[in-house]
């Protein structure tokens, strides 16, 4: 399906269902978002760069690195709260373990 067709159909659904953002505006939609989401999902599925480039219609693999980077950022963002909670828990129990474990408390 061509991007234009997808965009027209999604925009029609947004208007039909009167989907609005927090400011009361109709949601906007761009098909390029699908390309990014699809590229990220392909990297998460561990496809090789050449296959990802071909599936996304790229002529070379040089742009695949952006999808890989976005994927890692999403993982970092989605796990940040849990990682911070675990770090606080570990630091809480470090007291009395000796100097060799104090490097764990040092943050970059």
């Amino acid at each position: 399906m061509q991007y234009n067709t997808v965009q027209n159909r999604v925009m029609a659904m947004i208007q039909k269902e009167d989907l609005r953002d927090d400011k009361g505006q109709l949601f906007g939609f761009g098909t390029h978002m699908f390309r990014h989401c699809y590229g990220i999902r392909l990297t998460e599925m561990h496809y090789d760069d050449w296959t990802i480039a071909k599936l996304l219609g790229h002529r070379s693999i040089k742009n695949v690195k952006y999808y890989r980077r976005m994927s890692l950022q999403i993982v970092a963002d989605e796990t940040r709260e849990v990682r911070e909670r675990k770090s606080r828990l570990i630091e809480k129990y470090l007291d009395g373990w000796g100097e060799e474990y104090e490097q764990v408390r040092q943050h970059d």
Side-chain angles (χ1 to χ4, degrees):
M1 192 179 298
Q2 292 183 351
Y3 283 124
N4 193 26
T5 303
V6 172
Q7 181 158 9
N8 289 339
R9 288 184 183 180
V10 172
M11 288 305 296
M13 285 187 281
I14 289 170
Q15 291 174 358
K16 178 182 175 192
E17 299 298 325
D18 197 31
L19 300 175
R20 297 182 179 273
D21 62 17
D22 292 338
K23 296 178 181 177
Q25 301 295 316
L26 282 174
F27 279 112
F29 176 79
T31 54
H32 202 70
M33 173 178 38
F34 279 134
R35 178 186 215 93
H36 288 287
C37 292
Y38 187 43
I40 290 168
R41 293 291 178 237
L42 291 171
T43 65
E44 291 170 347
M45 293 168 58
H46 305 288
Y47 278 89
D48 63 279
D49 288 2
W50 184 247
T51 301
I52 293 170
K54 283 295 185 186
L55 288 170
L56 293 172
H58 293 301
R59 292 185 178 142
S60 72
I61 62 171
K62 71 177 187 172
N63 290 326
V64 173
K65 65 184 174 188
Y66 298 112
Y67 301 112
R68 292 201 184 282
R69 188 178 313 138
M70 284 186 275
S71 177
L72 294 174
Q73 185 62 50
I74 289 169
V75 170
D77 291 345
E78 289 179 350
T79 61
R80 182 170 291 112
E81 182 181 332
V82 172
R83 289 183 291 113
E84 288 173 353
R85 187 173 40 208
K86 295 290 184 187
S87 293
R88 287 191 302 271
L89 187 61
I90 289 169
E91 287 177 356
K92 176 181 171 184
Y93 290 106
L94 280 177
D95 292 336
W97 279 45
E99 285 187 35
E100 64 268 23
Y101 294 100
E102 286 302 312
Q103 67 184 358
V104 174
R105 291 186 198 270
Q106 298 174 9
H107 300 286
D108 295 328

